[in-house]
Amino acid sequence: MRKFMFQFSGLMVAALVFIAKISPLCMIGHYQSEVPVSLRK
Amino acid sequence: MSYLGFSTKWAASLAKIHHLNEEKQTELTYAIEVVTLNSMNVLMTLALGWALGVCGETAATLLTMAGFRHTAGGGHSESPWRCALVTITIFPLLALAARSVSTWPPYYISLLSLGAILFGFACIFLYAPADNPKAPIVSPVKRQKLKRAAILIMSIISIITIALLFGSRGNTPMICMCLVLSTLWASFNLTPWGHHLWHFIDKIGSSSERRCMK
């Protein structure tokens, strides 16, 4: 169970970082979170 | 970098488990904030649309807006809560307006659609991509790519709008007006007036808050 949780959270981290990389501009809402310097293109 | 409390805490715990460095932790914090705020905004907007009986139409306005803003950008609020309030109310209102406008005579509907398409293209050519200090576009190549993508998205929206204008089955006039009104709103957000509107929304109540703090 612990291993599964670890793998699941790892996948979640990878998915979130991928989303951050492909979507630097805010899409639906009207609030822009500060884009990390490493993601600025 | 300043992020909301929940995203900072969540990212810190995930970073600790997976031994991420500071850079990756910041990216994770940003991603958690973007995904959570956008998901909450979408769910609440659709819920209000459903309560008002215009869930499908609200979804159509949201989709148009997402496509447009992803490439063209636009004006933003400084506060996530004010943004959420405006987002949750504006799209169901646009859907309700679309329902009302779709009953107009075809001549006026065609004229409004043409106006929205022209306004959309004009705003994209003049102002897109509209970045802001929190999400600056630093590379001129990236800027050009986003502009081209915004023109492509606007072309797709225009083709769908024109196709829907010729369709008279079921909800097609209403969906067409959803596309038209959300294009007008998204384009307006690109203009300096759109930025002024968000600045004005951010200022509402701020003077009284400051008085309370004193």
Side-chain angles (χ1 to χ4, degrees):
Chain A
M1 187 66 184
R2 215 174 189 185
K3 196 179 169 191
F4 171 76
M5 290 286 281
F6 181 79
Q7 281 176 341
F8 177 75
S9 64
L11 274 174
M12 198 167 71
V13 167
L16 284 167
V17 170
F18 177 71
I19 289 169
K21 283 193 175 166
I22 59 165
S23 182
L25 287 177
C26 165
M27 282 176 76
I28 307 261
H30 302 85
Y31 171 74
Q32 176 69 57
S33 304
E34 194 166 359
V35 177
V37 179
S38 55
L39 293 178
R40 290 179 185 178
K41 291 179 214 163
Chain B
M1 300 276 155
S2 60
Y3 295 105
L4 299 173
F6 76 91
S7 47
T8 314
K9 282 178 193 162
W10 193 3
S13 68
L14 281 171
K16 199 176 168 188
I17 294 168
H18 294 282
H19 310 290
L20 300 179
N21 61 24
E22 205 176 318
E23 186 184 296
K24 281 279 172 258
Q25 188 179 330
T26 313
E27 288 177 7
L28 194 59
T29 314
Y30 167 74
I32 289 170
E33 195 162 298
V34 166
V35 170
T36 314
L37 289 178
N38 276 319
S39 308
M40 276 180 61
N41 278 340
V42 170
L43 286 175
M44 300 286 280
T45 307
L46 287 175
L48 185 62
W50 176 76
L52 294 171
V54 283
C55 189
E57 292 82 355
T58 307
T61 59
L62 278 173
L63 270 175
T64 314
M65 187 72 174
F68 197 103
R69 273 175 88 86
H70 185 53
T71 50
H76 285 97
S77 169
E78 289 293 314
S79 152
W81 314 119
R82 282 167 200 254
C83 149
L85 198 68
V86 175
T87 304
I88 291 164
T89 48
I90 198 82
F91 293 107
L93 282 179
L94 285 175
L96 281 176
R99 176 181 276 184
S100 166
V101 171
S102 65
T103 58
W104 288 4
Y107 171 75
Y108 292 110
I109 288 181
S110 304
L111 207 63
L112 185 65
S113 307
L114 186 69
I117 289 169
L118 290 176
F119 185 59
F121 273 116
C123 288
I124 285 172
F125 279 115
L126 288 172
Y127 305 113
D131 54 352
N132 67 60
K134 284 184 171 177
I137 302 162
V138 283
S139 154
V141 179
K142 177 77 182 168
R143 195 172 278 279
Q144 269 190 341
K145 270 187 187 171
L146 281 172
K147 188 154 201 143
R148 272 192 228 122
I151 292 168
L152 178 70
I153 294 285
M154 189 59 219
S155 306
I156 293 168
I157 292 172
S158 307
I159 291 166
I160 296 171
T161 304
I162 292 164
L164 287 172
L165 273 178
F166 289 104
S168 55
R169 270 188 298 169
N171 282 344
T172 45
M174 216 189 305
I175 299 293
C176 178
M177 283 303 102
C178 286
L179 263 71
V180 165
L181 295 183
S182 47
T183 301
L184 284 173
W185 171 247
S187 310
F188 172 72
N189 269 289
L190 282 177
T191 64
W193 303 293
H195 291 274
H196 287 314
L197 174 71
W198 281 107
H199 186 60
F200 172 74
I201 291 169
D202 282 335
K203 274 204 315 189
I204 295 173
S206 62
S207 55
S208 59
E209 274 168 25
R210 256 183 245 126
R211 273 201 298 276
C212 289
M213 281 168 79
K214 279 176 188 172

